[in-house]
Amino acid sequence: MNSTTRIAVLLATSGLTAGTLSALDCAALAELGLPDIRIEAAAASRGEEAQAENLPEGVPSRSPRATVPHCKVTGVIGSEIRFEVLLPDDWNGKFLMGGGGGFVGSLGYQGRFSINRGYATAATDTGHQGDGIRAEWAYRQPERRVNYGYLAVHRTTEAAKAIVRAYYGTPAQRAYFMGCSNGGRQAMMSAQRFPEDFDGIVAGAPAHDFSGVLASFAYNMQRIFPDPDTLTEPVITPQNRRLLESEILRRCDARDGVEDGFLNDPRDCEFELSDLPVCAGEAPSDNCLTIRQREAIAAVYGGPRNADGQIYPGFPFGGESAPGAWQAWITGPSRRLMTSYGEPSSQFGFATQGFKYLIFQDPEFDYSTYDFDDYGDDAAHLEAFLDATDPDLTGLRKAGGKLLLWHGWSDAALTALGSIDYFEAAERLDPNVRDYFRFYLMPGVFHCAGGPGPDRVDWLDALESWVEDGDAPDSLTAIKVTDGKIASARPLCVYPERAEYAGGDPDQESSYTCKLP
């Protein structure tokens, strides 16, 4: 039974058919009796007041606020999958499902901005409530783990499509998904498990190999915070991070012909930790690394390993001294996490929560003593519900779907090398994979946004053009907005091509061409 048939069945069993509700009859949706779905509220809204973003003309907003008049529907699927559907008065005939970051737990979702472009949108808390960096909800709760892993997005998508059809009297002409981080994992999961759910999918910086990501985080934390009782003194200090970044940029920034504060492709940089002096003793210094500091930094760059070899790729050069990169994700300090949970960084929080409640179901688990030689067996069960690593996208190709994958090179949360590995595996299976799957790397961009590189791309417009007009996105435009103005722009090239400087103003897109390395 395909997606369209299932939605028709949902409506038929509710006693309603397309057109039963009068157009824009929002309150009547509260009486919509869909199987195993309880609608809790349906109310019209004039839209929230827009926050001034001071954006140049033509630059798409990232605001999560629904600023246009719409109907808001909230409800529960099954026992506890909460969802929200927003139905704009001025509908463009399309539907977009937004992803959720971290461990989700709320309806604050990615892609909500699309309602202001006329899309009906939806979100889900994936079957539990809580802070997006806590996982106690998974303790001895197998149904919740499966809902979070893949099922809640699929079920919410089908419920939302049925609500859209009942409200407008016609089904959505197109369905899209957009998400980053865990939302990117949800995007990849949809492409692999439910390829008929969406006509087009945008997956940003995905945590698609969730078991590998948890290994990476815990492996780093063992070396940066070896004593769980001393979390305010990381082995890797701010001085280390400044030394690393300054030396890497000194050696490699100009390799692409432009000194702009970030690397065009970190794989070209030949910097080695052994190039930096070793401190005479164990006392940290601004201009050298202790043996322990060097080992911790090498673990971040090298990635987790055990007796069987590499578990997951390490992090490329970039973002070492930035508050929004290594400081927030790897070394800390994170004021919010320390104040709320006594945890120094996001990797620490996700690692300890993931091992306690997703891998071992043991709230007393101690990350500092874990032996990674056992990781393959210990985490094997995660593949069944969390990992979206299958490179075989035959289902997506047969369904006529399109997938855009992107990743920031300076992402300190999820390594861009993991996304490269996935795309190359898919290409090995299908040399023509670019007919329906394209991948882009963004130099100098942090996790999902931010960083010194151009970080804004109208992914939704690119996806629409590909799906609806057959306009394959050979090159896109990435811009950097500073103080309400476009500070710089570069072409975003289809991997493995990259933007190479050809001369002229380095802040202008026309100064670059897409070429193979």
Side-chain angles (χ1 to χ4, degrees), residues 55 59-60 62 180 262 406-408 442-459 477-482 485 487-490 492:
L55 296 176
V59 175
R62 290 174 173 168
C180 190
F262 56 91
W406 64 270
H407 211 128
M442 303 182 71
V445 174
F446 294 167
H447 186 53
C448 294
D455 65 333
R456 285 182 182 255
V457 177
D458 195 336
W459 296 108
T477 299
I479 63 172
K480 185 68 181 176
V481 176
T482 303
K485 297 180 180 179
S488 62
R490 289 193 182 185
L492 202 60

PDB file of all heavy atoms in Angstrom, residues 55 59-60 62 180 262 406-408 442-459 477-482 485 487-490 492:
ATOM      1  N   LEU A  55      17.542  41.397   7.148  1.00  0.00           N
ATOM      2  CA  LEU A  55      18.106  40.617   6.051  1.00  0.00           C
ATOM      3  C   LEU A  55      18.056  41.390   4.742  1.00  0.00           C
ATOM      4  O   LEU A  55      17.128  42.168   4.507  1.00  0.00           O
ATOM      5  CB  LEU A  55      17.336  39.303   5.877  1.00  0.00           C
ATOM      6  CG  LEU A  55      17.402  38.313   7.028  1.00  0.00           C
ATOM      7  CD1 LEU A  55      16.507  37.115   6.733  1.00  0.00           C
ATOM      8  CD2 LEU A  55      18.827  37.857   7.257  1.00  0.00           C
ATOM      9  N   VAL A  59      16.964  37.380   0.569  1.00  0.00           N
ATOM     10  CA  VAL A  59      17.591  36.365   1.417  1.00  0.00           C
ATOM     11  C   VAL A  59      16.504  35.688   2.244  1.00  0.00           C
ATOM     12  O   VAL A  59      15.769  36.359   2.976  1.00  0.00           O
ATOM     13  CB  VAL A  59      18.645  36.993   2.350  1.00  0.00           C
ATOM     14  CG1 VAL A  59      19.196  35.943   3.312  1.00  0.00           C
ATOM     15  CG2 VAL A  59      19.767  37.600   1.532  1.00  0.00           C
ATOM     16  N   PRO A  60      16.350  34.371   2.145  1.00  0.00           N
ATOM     17  CA  PRO A  60      15.281  33.696   2.884  1.00  0.00           C
ATOM     18  C   PRO A  60      15.498  33.751   4.388  1.00  0.00           C
ATOM     19  O   PRO A  60      16.613  33.628   4.876  1.00  0.00           O
ATOM     20  CB  PRO A  60      15.358  32.251   2.370  1.00  0.00           C
ATOM     21  CG  PRO A  60      16.758  32.088   1.871  1.00  0.00           C
ATOM     22  CD  PRO A  60      17.144  33.432   1.332  1.00  0.00           C
ATOM     23  N   ARG A  62      15.278  32.524   8.324  1.00  0.00           N
ATOM     24  CA  ARG A  62      15.368  31.273   9.074  1.00  0.00           C
ATOM     25  C   ARG A  62      14.489  31.314  10.322  1.00  0.00           C
ATOM     26  O   ARG A  62      14.579  30.457  11.180  1.00  0.00           O
ATOM     27  CB  ARG A  62      16.816  31.029   9.504  1.00  0.00           C
ATOM     28  CG  ARG A  62      17.766  30.675   8.369  1.00  0.00           C
ATOM     29  CD  ARG A  62      19.181  30.608   8.895  1.00  0.00           C
ATOM     30  NE  ARG A  62      20.107  30.117   7.883  1.00  0.00           N
ATOM     31  CZ  ARG A  62      21.428  30.187   8.003  1.00  0.00           C
ATOM     32  NH1 ARG A  62      21.956  30.730   9.080  1.00  0.00           N
ATOM     33  NH2 ARG A  62      22.207  29.712   7.059  1.00  0.00           N
ATOM     34  N   CYS A 180      18.291  19.171   9.901  1.00  0.00           N
ATOM     35  CA  CYS A 180      19.736  19.230  10.098  1.00  0.00           C
ATOM     36  C   CYS A 180      20.083  18.553  11.416  1.00  0.00           C
ATOM     37  O   CYS A 180      19.279  18.523  12.355  1.00  0.00           O
ATOM     38  CB  CYS A 180      20.223  20.685  10.109  1.00  0.00           C
ATOM     39  SG  CYS A 180      22.032  20.849  10.071  1.00  0.00           S
ATOM     40  N   PHE A 262      39.523  30.576   6.879  1.00  0.00           N
ATOM     41  CA  PHE A 262      39.049  29.191   6.917  1.00  0.00           C
ATOM     42  C   PHE A 262      39.628  28.437   5.729  1.00  0.00           C
ATOM     43  O   PHE A 262      40.168  29.035   4.786  1.00  0.00           O
ATOM     44  CB  PHE A 262      37.517  29.112   6.929  1.00  0.00           C
ATOM     45  CG  PHE A 262      36.841  29.807   5.791  1.00  0.00           C
ATOM     46  CD1 PHE A 262      36.544  29.133   4.607  1.00  0.00           C
ATOM     47  CD2 PHE A 262      36.472  31.148   5.887  1.00  0.00           C
ATOM     48  CE1 PHE A 262      35.902  29.768   3.551  1.00  0.00           C
ATOM     49  CE2 PHE A 262      35.835  31.795   4.834  1.00  0.00           C
ATOM     50  CZ  PHE A 262      35.543  31.100   3.666  1.00  0.00           C
ATOM     51  N   TRP A 406      24.086  18.140   2.668  1.00  0.00           N
ATOM     52  CA  TRP A 406      25.128  19.152   2.813  1.00  0.00           C
ATOM     53  C   TRP A 406      25.760  19.061   4.193  1.00  0.00           C
ATOM     54  O   TRP A 406      25.157  18.560   5.146  1.00  0.00           O
ATOM     55  CB  TRP A 406      24.579  20.559   2.555  1.00  0.00           C
ATOM     56  CG  TRP A 406      23.527  21.031   3.523  1.00  0.00           C
ATOM     57  CD1 TRP A 406      22.179  20.877   3.422  1.00  0.00           C
ATOM     58  CD2 TRP A 406      23.752  21.752   4.741  1.00  0.00           C
ATOM     59  NE1 TRP A 406      21.542  21.455   4.496  1.00  0.00           N
ATOM     60  CE2 TRP A 406      22.494  21.997   5.319  1.00  0.00           C
ATOM     61  CE3 TRP A 406      24.896  22.212   5.398  1.00  0.00           C
ATOM     62  CZ2 TRP A 406      22.339  22.685   6.522  1.00  0.00           C
ATOM     63  CZ3 TRP A 406      24.749  22.903   6.599  1.00  0.00           C
ATOM     64  CH2 TRP A 406      23.479  23.135   7.142  1.00  0.00           C
ATOM     65  N   HIS A 407      27.002  19.559   4.290  1.00  0.00           N
ATOM     66  CA  HIS A 407      27.712  19.493   5.559  1.00  0.00           C
ATOM     67  C   HIS A 407      28.750  20.608   5.612  1.00  0.00           C
ATOM     68  O   HIS A 407      29.460  20.861   4.627  1.00  0.00           O
ATOM     69  CB  HIS A 407      28.409  18.139   5.711  1.00  0.00           C
ATOM     70  CG  HIS A 407      28.513  17.674   7.115  1.00  0.00           C
ATOM     71  ND1 HIS A 407      28.104  16.422   7.533  1.00  0.00           N
ATOM     72  CD2 HIS A 407      28.974  18.288   8.240  1.00  0.00           C
ATOM     73  CE1 HIS A 407      28.312  16.294   8.835  1.00  0.00           C
ATOM     74  NE2 HIS A 407      28.849  17.422   9.281  1.00  0.00           N
ATOM     75  N   GLY A 408      28.860  21.277   6.744  1.00  0.00           N
ATOM     76  CA  GLY A 408      29.880  22.294   6.960  1.00  0.00           C
ATOM     77  C   GLY A 408      31.225  21.647   7.262  1.00  0.00           C
ATOM     78  O   GLY A 408      31.316  20.753   8.101  1.00  0.00           O
ATOM     79  N   MET A 442      30.522  22.724   2.684  1.00  0.00           N
ATOM     80  CA  MET A 442      30.506  24.168   2.871  1.00  0.00           C
ATOM     81  C   MET A 442      31.720  24.602   3.685  1.00  0.00           C
ATOM     82  O   MET A 442      31.767  24.411   4.909  1.00  0.00           O
ATOM     83  CB  MET A 442      29.203  24.585   3.562  1.00  0.00           C
ATOM     84  CG  MET A 442      27.959  24.148   2.799  1.00  0.00           C
ATOM     85  SD  MET A 442      26.410  24.680   3.569  1.00  0.00           S
ATOM     86  CE  MET A 442      26.465  26.452   3.235  1.00  0.00           C
ATOM     87  N   PRO A 443      32.738  25.178   3.046  1.00  0.00           N
ATOM     88  CA  PRO A 443      33.950  25.593   3.755  1.00  0.00           C
ATOM     89  C   PRO A 443      33.672  26.633   4.831  1.00  0.00           C
ATOM     90  O   PRO A 443      32.896  27.579   4.622  1.00  0.00           O
ATOM     91  CB  PRO A 443      34.826  26.181   2.642  1.00  0.00           C
ATOM     92  CG  PRO A 443      34.335  25.539   1.386  1.00  0.00           C
ATOM     93  CD  PRO A 443      32.853  25.387   1.591  1.00  0.00           C
ATOM     94  N   GLY A 444      34.295  26.445   5.995  1.00  0.00           N
ATOM     95  CA  GLY A 444      34.201  27.427   7.065  1.00  0.00           C
ATOM     96  C   GLY A 444      32.864  27.501   7.761  1.00  0.00           C
ATOM     97  O   GLY A 444      32.602  28.447   8.512  1.00  0.00           O
ATOM     98  N   VAL A 445      31.995  26.511   7.576  1.00  0.00           N
ATOM     99  CA  VAL A 445      30.654  26.530   8.176  1.00  0.00           C
ATOM    100  C   VAL A 445      30.595  25.566   9.352  1.00  0.00           C
ATOM    101  O   VAL A 445      31.096  24.441   9.278  1.00  0.00           O
ATOM    102  CB  VAL A 445      29.582  26.179   7.133  1.00  0.00           C
ATOM    103  CG1 VAL A 445      28.206  26.046   7.773  1.00  0.00           C
ATOM    104  CG2 VAL A 445      29.554  27.264   6.042  1.00  0.00           C
ATOM    105  N   PHE A 446      29.987  26.028  10.447  1.00  0.00           N
ATOM    106  CA  PHE A 446      29.862  25.243  11.669  1.00  0.00           C
ATOM    107  C   PHE A 446      28.675  24.273  11.575  1.00  0.00           C
ATOM    108  O   PHE A 446      28.196  23.986  10.487  1.00  0.00           O
ATOM    109  CB  PHE A 446      29.707  26.164  12.872  1.00  0.00           C
ATOM    110  CG  PHE A 446      30.922  27.001  13.178  1.00  0.00           C
ATOM    111  CD1 PHE A 446      30.849  28.070  14.063  1.00  0.00           C
ATOM    112  CD2 PHE A 446      32.149  26.745  12.574  1.00  0.00           C
ATOM    113  CE1 PHE A 446      31.960  28.846  14.356  1.00  0.00           C
ATOM    114  CE2 PHE A 446      33.273  27.514  12.862  1.00  0.00           C
ATOM    115  CZ  PHE A 446      33.166  28.578  13.751  1.00  0.00           C
ATOM    116  N   HIS A 447      28.174  23.824  12.723  1.00  0.00           N
ATOM    117  CA  HIS A 447      27.115  22.820  12.750  1.00  0.00           C
ATOM    118  C   HIS A 447      25.769  23.436  12.394  1.00  0.00           C
ATOM    119  O   HIS A 447      25.203  24.215  13.167  1.00  0.00           O
ATOM    120  CB  HIS A 447      27.043  22.166  14.126  1.00  0.00           C
ATOM    121  CG  HIS A 447      26.078  21.035  14.199  1.00  0.00           C
ATOM    122  ND1 HIS A 447      26.109  19.970  13.319  1.00  0.00           N
ATOM    123  CD2 HIS A 447      25.021  20.786  15.031  1.00  0.00           C
ATOM    124  CE1 HIS A 447      25.145  19.125  13.605  1.00  0.00           C
ATOM    125  NE2 HIS A 447      24.466  19.598  14.633  1.00  0.00           N
ATOM    126  N   CYS A 448      25.275  23.123  11.206  1.00  0.00           N
ATOM    127  CA  CYS A 448      23.981  23.575  10.693  1.00  0.00           C
ATOM    128  C   CYS A 448      23.950  25.049  10.296  1.00  0.00           C
ATOM    129  O   CYS A 448      23.147  25.434   9.438  1.00  0.00           O
ATOM    130  CB  CYS A 448      22.844  23.281  11.684  1.00  0.00           C
ATOM    131  SG  CYS A 448      22.552  21.505  11.935  1.00  0.00           S
ATOM    132  N   ALA A 449      24.784  25.884  10.889  1.00  0.00           N
ATOM    133  CA  ALA A 449      24.834  27.306  10.535  1.00  0.00           C
ATOM    134  C   ALA A 449      26.010  27.932  11.273  1.00  0.00           C
ATOM    135  O   ALA A 449      26.574  27.344  12.189  1.00  0.00           O
ATOM    136  CB  ALA A 449      23.526  28.019  10.908  1.00  0.00           C
ATOM    137  N   GLY A 450      26.342  29.159  10.856  1.00  0.00           N
ATOM    138  CA  GLY A 450      27.395  29.889  11.543  1.00  0.00           C
ATOM    139  C   GLY A 450      28.785  29.558  11.024  1.00  0.00           C
ATOM    140  O   GLY A 450      28.963  28.707  10.158  1.00  0.00           O
ATOM    141  N   GLY A 451      29.774  30.256  11.566  1.00  0.00           N
ATOM    142  CA  GLY A 451      31.145  30.093  11.137  1.00  0.00           C
ATOM    143  C   GLY A 451      31.559  31.207  10.193  1.00  0.00           C
ATOM    144  O   GLY A 451      30.728  31.986   9.715  1.00  0.00           O
ATOM    145  N   PRO A 452      32.849  31.286   9.866  1.00  0.00           N
ATOM    146  CA  PRO A 452      33.335  32.375   9.014  1.00  0.00           C
ATOM    147  C   PRO A 452      32.979  32.217   7.540  1.00  0.00           C
ATOM    148  O   PRO A 452      33.049  33.176   6.783  1.00  0.00           O
ATOM    149  CB  PRO A 452      34.861  32.310   9.203  1.00  0.00           C
ATOM    150  CG  PRO A 452      35.141  30.884   9.577  1.00  0.00           C
ATOM    151  CD  PRO A 452      33.959  30.452  10.390  1.00  0.00           C
ATOM    152  N   GLY A 453      32.589  31.017   7.107  1.00  0.00           N
ATOM    153  CA  GLY A 453      32.270  30.793   5.700  1.00  0.00           C
ATOM    154  C   GLY A 453      30.831  31.129   5.359  1.00  0.00           C
ATOM    155  O   GLY A 453      29.969  31.228   6.241  1.00  0.00           O
ATOM    156  N   PRO A 454      30.537  31.322   4.074  1.00  0.00           N
ATOM    157  CA  PRO A 454      29.153  31.560   3.640  1.00  0.00           C
ATOM    158  C   PRO A 454      28.258  30.384   4.031  1.00  0.00           C
ATOM    159  O   PRO A 454      28.482  29.255   3.602  1.00  0.00           O
ATOM    160  CB  PRO A 454      29.284  31.686   2.118  1.00  0.00           C
ATOM    161  CG  PRO A 454      30.693  32.129   1.890  1.00  0.00           C
ATOM    162  CD  PRO A 454      31.487  31.419   2.940  1.00  0.00           C
ATOM    163  N   ASP A 455      27.229  30.649   4.841  1.00  0.00           N
ATOM    164  CA  ASP A 455      26.456  29.557   5.457  1.00  0.00           C
ATOM    165  C   ASP A 455      24.979  29.563   5.111  1.00  0.00           C
ATOM    166  O   ASP A 455      24.216  28.743   5.623  1.00  0.00           O
ATOM    167  CB  ASP A 455      26.606  29.606   6.981  1.00  0.00           C
ATOM    168  CG  ASP A 455      26.007  30.860   7.601  1.00  0.00           C
ATOM    169  OD1 ASP A 455      25.944  31.898   6.910  1.00  0.00           O
ATOM    170  OD2 ASP A 455      25.606  30.815   8.778  1.00  0.00           O
ATOM    171  N   ARG A 456      24.554  30.475   4.232  1.00  0.00           N
ATOM    172  CA  ARG A 456      23.128  30.536   3.884  1.00  0.00           C
ATOM    173  C   ARG A 456      22.918  30.089   2.439  1.00  0.00           C
ATOM    174  O   ARG A 456      23.508  30.644   1.511  1.00  0.00           O
ATOM    175  CB  ARG A 456      22.577  31.950   4.064  1.00  0.00           C
ATOM    176  CG  ARG A 456      22.364  32.354   5.514  1.00  0.00           C
ATOM    177  CD  ARG A 456      21.775  33.749   5.576  1.00  0.00           C
ATOM    178  NE  ARG A 456      21.610  34.195   6.944  1.00  0.00           N
ATOM    179  CZ  ARG A 456      20.443  34.262   7.576  1.00  0.00           C
ATOM    180  NH1 ARG A 456      19.335  33.887   6.952  1.00  0.00           N
ATOM    181  NH2 ARG A 456      20.373  34.691   8.815  1.00  0.00           N
ATOM    182  N   VAL A 457      22.059  29.104   2.284  1.00  0.00           N
ATOM    183  CA  VAL A 457      21.692  28.592   0.966  1.00  0.00           C
ATOM    184  C   VAL A 457      20.181  28.389   0.969  1.00  0.00           C
ATOM    185  O   VAL A 457      19.616  27.909   1.952  1.00  0.00           O
ATOM    186  CB  VAL A 457      22.394  27.250   0.668  1.00  0.00           C
ATOM    187  CG1 VAL A 457      21.932  26.693  -0.676  1.00  0.00           C
ATOM    188  CG2 VAL A 457      23.907  27.420   0.675  1.00  0.00           C
ATOM    189  N   ASP A 458      19.527  28.733  -0.110  1.00  0.00           N
ATOM    190  CA  ASP A 458      18.082  28.495  -0.203  1.00  0.00           C
ATOM    191  C   ASP A 458      17.867  27.059  -0.677  1.00  0.00           C
ATOM    192  O   ASP A 458      17.607  26.785  -1.848  1.00  0.00           O
ATOM    193  CB  ASP A 458      17.425  29.486  -1.165  1.00  0.00           C
ATOM    194  CG  ASP A 458      15.905  29.509  -1.016  1.00  0.00           C
ATOM    195  OD1 ASP A 458      15.341  28.498  -0.538  1.00  0.00           O
ATOM    196  OD2 ASP A 458      15.287  30.522  -1.376  1.00  0.00           O
ATOM    197  N   TRP A 459      17.998  26.136   0.272  1.00  0.00           N
ATOM    198  CA  TRP A 459      17.893  24.714  -0.060  1.00  0.00           C
ATOM    199  C   TRP A 459      16.510  24.353  -0.580  1.00  0.00           C
ATOM    200  O   TRP A 459      16.364  23.521  -1.474  1.00  0.00           O
ATOM    201  CB  TRP A 459      18.217  23.872   1.179  1.00  0.00           C
ATOM    202  CG  TRP A 459      19.613  24.022   1.649  1.00  0.00           C
ATOM    203  CD1 TRP A 459      20.055  24.677   2.764  1.00  0.00           C
ATOM    204  CD2 TRP A 459      20.790  23.501   1.003  1.00  0.00           C
ATOM    205  NE1 TRP A 459      21.425  24.609   2.850  1.00  0.00           N
ATOM    206  CE2 TRP A 459      21.904  23.886   1.801  1.00  0.00           C
ATOM    207  CE3 TRP A 459      21.015  22.757  -0.148  1.00  0.00           C
ATOM    208  CZ2 TRP A 459      23.213  23.547   1.460  1.00  0.00           C
ATOM    209  CZ3 TRP A 459      22.304  22.412  -0.497  1.00  0.00           C
ATOM    210  CH2 TRP A 459      23.393  22.801   0.301  1.00  0.00           C
ATOM    211  N   THR A 477      24.246  28.936  -4.719  1.00  0.00           N
ATOM    212  CA  THR A 477      24.891  30.126  -4.167  1.00  0.00           C
ATOM    213  C   THR A 477      24.833  30.090  -2.648  1.00  0.00           C
ATOM    214  O   THR A 477      23.751  29.956  -2.066  1.00  0.00           O
ATOM    215  CB  THR A 477      24.217  31.416  -4.672  1.00  0.00           C
ATOM    216  OG1 THR A 477      24.329  31.481  -6.093  1.00  0.00           O
ATOM    217  CG2 THR A 477      24.882  32.643  -4.066  1.00  0.00           C
ATOM    218  N   ALA A 478      25.994  30.190  -2.011  1.00  0.00           N
ATOM    219  CA  ALA A 478      26.079  30.291  -0.553  1.00  0.00           C
ATOM    220  C   ALA A 478      26.513  31.708  -0.208  1.00  0.00           C
ATOM    221  O   ALA A 478      27.460  32.238  -0.809  1.00  0.00           O
ATOM    222  CB  ALA A 478      27.086  29.283  -0.005  1.00  0.00           C
ATOM    223  N   ILE A 479      25.819  32.331   0.746  1.00  0.00           N
ATOM    224  CA  ILE A 479      26.147  33.710   1.113  1.00  0.00           C
ATOM    225  C   ILE A 479      26.425  33.819   2.606  1.00  0.00           C
ATOM    226  O   ILE A 479      25.987  32.994   3.417  1.00  0.00           O
ATOM    227  CB  ILE A 479      25.018  34.683   0.723  1.00  0.00           C
ATOM    228  CG1 ILE A 479      23.731  34.351   1.485  1.00  0.00           C
ATOM    229  CG2 ILE A 479      24.784  34.678  -0.775  1.00  0.00           C
ATOM    230  CD1 ILE A 479      22.630  35.385   1.283  1.00  0.00           C
ATOM    231  N   LYS A 480      27.158  34.859   2.960  1.00  0.00           N
ATOM    232  CA  LYS A 480      27.410  35.207   4.358  1.00  0.00           C
ATOM    233  C   LYS A 480      26.774  36.553   4.627  1.00  0.00           C
ATOM    234  O   LYS A 480      27.054  37.542   3.930  1.00  0.00           O
ATOM    235  CB  LYS A 480      28.917  35.286   4.624  1.00  0.00           C
ATOM    236  CG  LYS A 480      29.274  35.521   6.081  1.00  0.00           C
ATOM    237  CD  LYS A 480      28.925  34.321   6.910  1.00  0.00           C
ATOM    238  CE  LYS A 480      29.236  34.525   8.389  1.00  0.00           C
ATOM    239  NZ  LYS A 480      28.798  33.363   9.188  1.00  0.00           N
ATOM    240  N   VAL A 481      25.866  36.602   5.598  1.00  0.00           N
ATOM    241  CA  VAL A 481      25.181  37.834   5.957  1.00  0.00           C
ATOM    242  C   VAL A 481      25.797  38.386   7.236  1.00  0.00           C
ATOM    243  O   VAL A 481      25.879  37.687   8.253  1.00  0.00           O
ATOM    244  CB  VAL A 481      23.680  37.596   6.144  1.00  0.00           C
ATOM    245  CG1 VAL A 481      22.992  38.877   6.619  1.00  0.00           C
ATOM    246  CG2 VAL A 481      23.047  37.109   4.849  1.00  0.00           C
ATOM    247  N   THR A 482      26.241  39.636   7.196  1.00  0.00           N
ATOM    248  CA  THR A 482      26.825  40.303   8.355  1.00  0.00           C
ATOM    249  C   THR A 482      26.200  41.688   8.488  1.00  0.00           C
ATOM    250  O   THR A 482      26.209  42.469   7.529  1.00  0.00           O
ATOM    251  CB  THR A 482      28.356  40.442   8.208  1.00  0.00           C
ATOM    252  OG1 THR A 482      28.933  39.145   8.009  1.00  0.00           O
ATOM    253  CG2 THR A 482      28.958  41.058   9.460  1.00  0.00           C
ATOM    254  N   LYS A 485      23.790  42.766   5.781  1.00  0.00           N
ATOM    255  CA  LYS A 485      24.274  42.899   4.408  1.00  0.00           C
ATOM    256  C   LYS A 485      24.953  41.602   3.975  1.00  0.00           C
ATOM    257  O   LYS A 485      25.479  40.850   4.792  1.00  0.00           O
ATOM    258  CB  LYS A 485      25.264  44.053   4.300  1.00  0.00           C
ATOM    259  CG  LYS A 485      24.668  45.418   4.619  1.00  0.00           C
ATOM    260  CD  LYS A 485      25.718  46.506   4.496  1.00  0.00           C
ATOM    261  CE  LYS A 485      25.122  47.880   4.815  1.00  0.00           C
ATOM    262  NZ  LYS A 485      26.149  48.957   4.714  1.00  0.00           N
ATOM    263  N   ALA A 487      27.897  39.886   3.018  1.00  0.00           N
ATOM    264  CA  ALA A 487      29.321  40.169   3.143  1.00  0.00           C
ATOM    265  C   ALA A 487      30.143  39.426   2.106  1.00  0.00           C
ATOM    266  O   ALA A 487      31.196  39.913   1.672  1.00  0.00           O
ATOM    267  CB  ALA A 487      29.802  39.815   4.547  1.00  0.00           C
ATOM    268  N   SER A 488      29.689  38.235   1.734  1.00  0.00           N
ATOM    269  CA  SER A 488      30.421  37.452   0.741  1.00  0.00           C
ATOM    270  C   SER A 488      29.509  36.397   0.151  1.00  0.00           C
ATOM    271  O   SER A 488      28.464  36.068   0.719  1.00  0.00           O
ATOM    272  CB  SER A 488      31.657  36.776   1.369  1.00  0.00           C
ATOM    273  OG  SER A 488      31.275  35.867   2.382  1.00  0.00           O
ATOM    274  N   ALA A 489      29.912  35.880  -1.013  1.00  0.00           N
ATOM    275  CA  ALA A 489      29.143  34.828  -1.676  1.00  0.00           C
ATOM    276  C   ALA A 489      30.107  33.930  -2.443  1.00  0.00           C
ATOM    277  O   ALA A 489      31.125  34.399  -2.980  1.00  0.00           O
ATOM    278  CB  ALA A 489      28.113  35.428  -2.627  1.00  0.00           C
ATOM    279  N   ARG A 490      29.770  32.633  -2.477  1.00  0.00           N
ATOM    280  CA  ARG A 490      30.582  31.672  -3.225  1.00  0.00           C
ATOM    281  C   ARG A 490      29.665  30.624  -3.844  1.00  0.00           C
ATOM    282  O   ARG A 490      28.585  30.345  -3.305  1.00  0.00           O
ATOM    283  CB  ARG A 490      31.590  30.966  -2.312  1.00  0.00           C
ATOM    284  CG  ARG A 490      32.720  31.845  -1.831  1.00  0.00           C
ATOM    285  CD  ARG A 490      33.831  31.044  -1.205  1.00  0.00           C
ATOM    286  NE  ARG A 490      34.877  31.898  -0.701  1.00  0.00           N
ATOM    287  CZ  ARG A 490      36.023  31.454  -0.185  1.00  0.00           C
ATOM    288  NH1 ARG A 490      36.241  30.155  -0.114  1.00  0.00           N
ATOM    289  NH2 ARG A 490      36.932  32.301   0.250  1.00  0.00           N
ATOM    290  N   LEU A 492      28.431  26.964  -4.431  1.00  0.00           N
ATOM    291  CA  LEU A 492      28.458  25.705  -3.690  1.00  0.00           C
ATOM    292  C   LEU A 492      28.412  24.602  -4.742  1.00  0.00           C
ATOM    293  O   LEU A 492      27.455  24.496  -5.503  1.00  0.00           O
ATOM    294  CB  LEU A 492      27.252  25.625  -2.755  1.00  0.00           C
ATOM    295  CG  LEU A 492      27.364  24.676  -1.570  1.00  0.00           C
ATOM    296  CD1 LEU A 492      28.525  25.055  -0.687  1.00  0.00           C
ATOM    297  CD2 LEU A 492      26.080  24.692  -0.775  1.00  0.00           C
TER     298      LEU A 492
END
